[in-house]
Amino acid sequence: MKIWSTTTFPETPVNSISSTVYGDKHIKVDLKREDLIDAEVSGNKFRKLKYNMLQALEEGHYSILTYGGAFSNHIAAVAKAGKLFGLETIGVIRGEELGKNLDITLQKNFTLRFAYECGMQFEFVTRTAYREKNTESFRESLKTKYGTFYEIPEGGTNELAIKGCHEILGATTVDYDYIACAVGTGGTIAGIIEASLPHQKVLGFPALKGDFLEDEIKKYTSKTNWELIPDYHFGGYAKTSEELIRFINRFKKEQNIQLDPVYTGKMMYGLTDLIRNGYFSKNTRIFAVHTGGLQGIPGMNDRLKKQGRSTISI
Ligand SMILES: *Cc1c(COP(=O)(O)O)cnc(C)c1O
């Protein structure tokens, strides 16, 4: 119960990143190590869950239900948070074929095995049913099966998640000019924007293609000191390239910091590329947020290996 026993997380460190690319341009990049929040479930997903878990307890719920794919950081985080809080968790997982032989699925899939070991129950559904998960009839069928539950959307973004993400920034971030983070559903960046100061600009690096993201973020903040940089999604969600994998492996070697291929690798790649191309003026100070996601690496490496491609060194 360590990290949840108080309403604050432990302070995570901020590492200064030394790189000739940054040095040449006189840019200071510090990386906020949210990946160190928890050994297994790192980063922003716990921030997003904190106030939701407290709310579920306050409302007297016994179980949490949420949605995700078979490699989802959010699924892993909900499972672990449920275990820490003593709440049951139900994961509605995309892909009914995964439920046909659970033993084999658990053997092969690190994320689901981890969630299962935390006590999560799975409801495997077809891709069609998954797409219709927000309909009243689907929810009713879940209620019939599982009783009442506290529901958290796919990816975990809601008002309470954004409140949790405010806490990524703190008193020590006043001196930075830019704040950079990876974007999936937009909840994390919305919380960071809300907590940012007027002299700061927040740059989001979407991990997927999508024009809808700006509107998603605007649902949660009316501030305008932010911008999405849409050029570094590498073809879409969970898509990678040799160059990205090389970048992640080099970063690990040079900085001794592991990045993930879905979110933080793309963000740091993009940020480095912008710096190299002179996007920032001399002496700019950048606070980049390592949002974690490292539990997804074994699953990604399995898929890369199957395709005969280079893998992420861990
Ligand atoms: C989910 C996730 C994000 C994106 O967070 P959103 O709030 O969905 O935008 C970024 N980094 C990591 C590691 C994540 O797991």
Side-chain angles (χ1 to χ4, degrees), residues 107-181:
Q107 258 171 44
K108 286 188 180 161
N109 185 304
F110 179 87
T111 304
L112 295 180
R113 184 164 68 244
F114 174 76
Y116 183 83
E117 284 166 359
C118 289
M120 182 176 261
Q121 270 179 278
F122 299 126
E123 174 77 13
F124 294 102
V125 301
T126 63
R127 281 161 178 77
T128 313
Y130 192 84
R131 267 197 299 279
E132 286 159 10
K133 62 184 175 304
N134 293 326
T135 60
E136 209 38 56
S137 64
F138 186 73
R139 195 166 287 121
E140 279 311 310
S141 71
L142 290 172
K143 284 207 176 118
T144 307
K145 190 158 175 189
Y146 294 105
T148 59
F149 46 75
Y150 183 89
E151 188 182 19
I152 300 179
E154 176 182 37
T157 291
N158 58 19
E159 289 288 352
L160 290 175
I162 285 154
K163 182 177 167 190
C165 289
H166 282 211
E167 295 170 3
I168 295 172
L169 300 190
T172 56
T173 53
V174 179
D175 291 338
Y176 293 92
D177 307 303
Y178 281 85
I179 297 150
C181 75

Side-chain angles (χ1 to χ4, degrees), residues 41 45 71-78 111 260 263 292-296:
V41 183
K45 293 301 185 287
F71 302 99
S72 162
N73 293 333
H74 170 65
I75 286 291
V78 169
T111 304
D260 85 295
Y263 294 102
L294 305 181
Q295 73 81 33

Side-chain angles (χ1 to χ4, degrees), residues 24-263:
D24 286 352
K25 301 280 183 189
H26 303 276
I27 307 291
K28 175 176 157 69
V29 178
D30 289 347
L31 190 59
K32 170 73 163 166
R33 301 293 306 279
E34 293 283 288
D35 56 313
L36 300 177
I37 283 183
D38 181 79
E40 293 142 323
V41 183
S42 52
N44 65 334
K45 293 301 185 287
F46 262 9
R47 297 271 183 198
K48 294 173 84 170
L49 284 172
K50 175 173 139 181
Y51 290 106
N52 278 291
M53 300 309 274
L54 295 173
Q55 182 71 20
L57 285 178
E58 196 173 306
E59 290 176 11
H61 284 282
Y62 295 103
S63 58
I64 307 278
L65 182 139
T66 196
Y67 308 85
F71 302 99
S72 162
N73 293 333
H74 170 65
I75 286 291
V78 169
K80 175 88 187 258
K83 183 177 152 190
L84 293 171
F85 268 87
L87 286 166
E88 286 175 21
T89 53
I90 303 145
V92 179
I93 309 293
R94 183 176 53 228
E96 69 167 344
E97 72 284 357
L98 297 164
K100 296 229 167 85
N101 188 332
L102 188 60
D103 284 343
I104 291 184
T105 296
L106 296 180
Q107 258 171 44
K108 286 188 180 161
N109 185 304
F110 179 87
T111 304
L112 295 180
R113 184 164 68 244
F114 174 76
Y116 183 83
E117 284 166 359
C118 289
M120 182 176 261
Q121 270 179 278
F122 299 126
E123 174 77 13
F124 294 102
V125 301
T126 63
R127 281 161 178 77
T128 313
Y130 192 84
R131 267 197 299 279
E132 286 159 10
K133 62 184 175 304
N134 293 326
T135 60
E136 209 38 56
S137 64
F138 186 73
R139 195 166 287 121
E140 279 311 310
S141 71
L142 290 172
K143 284 207 176 118
T144 307
K145 190 158 175 189
Y146 294 105
T148 59
F149 46 75
Y150 183 89
E151 188 182 19
I152 300 179
E154 176 182 37
T157 291
N158 58 19
E159 289 288 352
L160 290 175
I162 285 154
K163 182 177 167 190
C165 289
H166 282 211
E167 295 170 3
I168 295 172
L169 300 190
T172 56
T173 53
V174 179
D175 291 338
Y176 293 92
D177 307 303
Y178 281 85
I179 297 150
C181 75
V183 177
T185 61
T188 303
I189 194 172
I192 289 175
I193 293 165
E194 281 292 284
S196 69
L197 296 166
H199 72 271
Q200 298 176 322
K201 184 158 183 194
V202 183
L203 290 185
F205 294 82
L208 63 162
K209 293 189 228 179
D211 301 332
F212 59 92
L213 273 175
E214 291 221 356
D215 290 336
E216 280 304 305
I217 296 165
K218 284 179 190 160
K219 279 185 198 163
Y220 296 104
T221 182
S222 54
K223 289 196 188 177
T224 56
N225 59 329
W226 58 279
E227 188 182 338
L228 294 183
I229 310 288
D231 311 320
Y232 301 101
H233 57 62
F234 289 84
Y237 188 73
K239 299 259 166 59
T240 61
S241 74
E242 283 292 321
E243 199 181 342
L244 177 66
I245 305 286
R246 252 200 317 277
F247 174 83
I248 290 170
N249 289 342
R250 191 164 356 117
F251 196 86
K252 166 93 190 261
K253 218 157 118 195
E254 289 174 2
Q255 310 295 341
N256 200 22
I257 296 172
Q258 182 82 62
L259 299 172
D260 85 295
V262 180
Y263 294 102

Side-chain angles (χ1 to χ4, degrees), residues 9-22:
F9 287 96
E11 266 308 307
T12 51
V14 177
N15 293 158
S16 176
I17 307 297
S18 54
S19 137
T20 47
V21 179
Y22 308 163

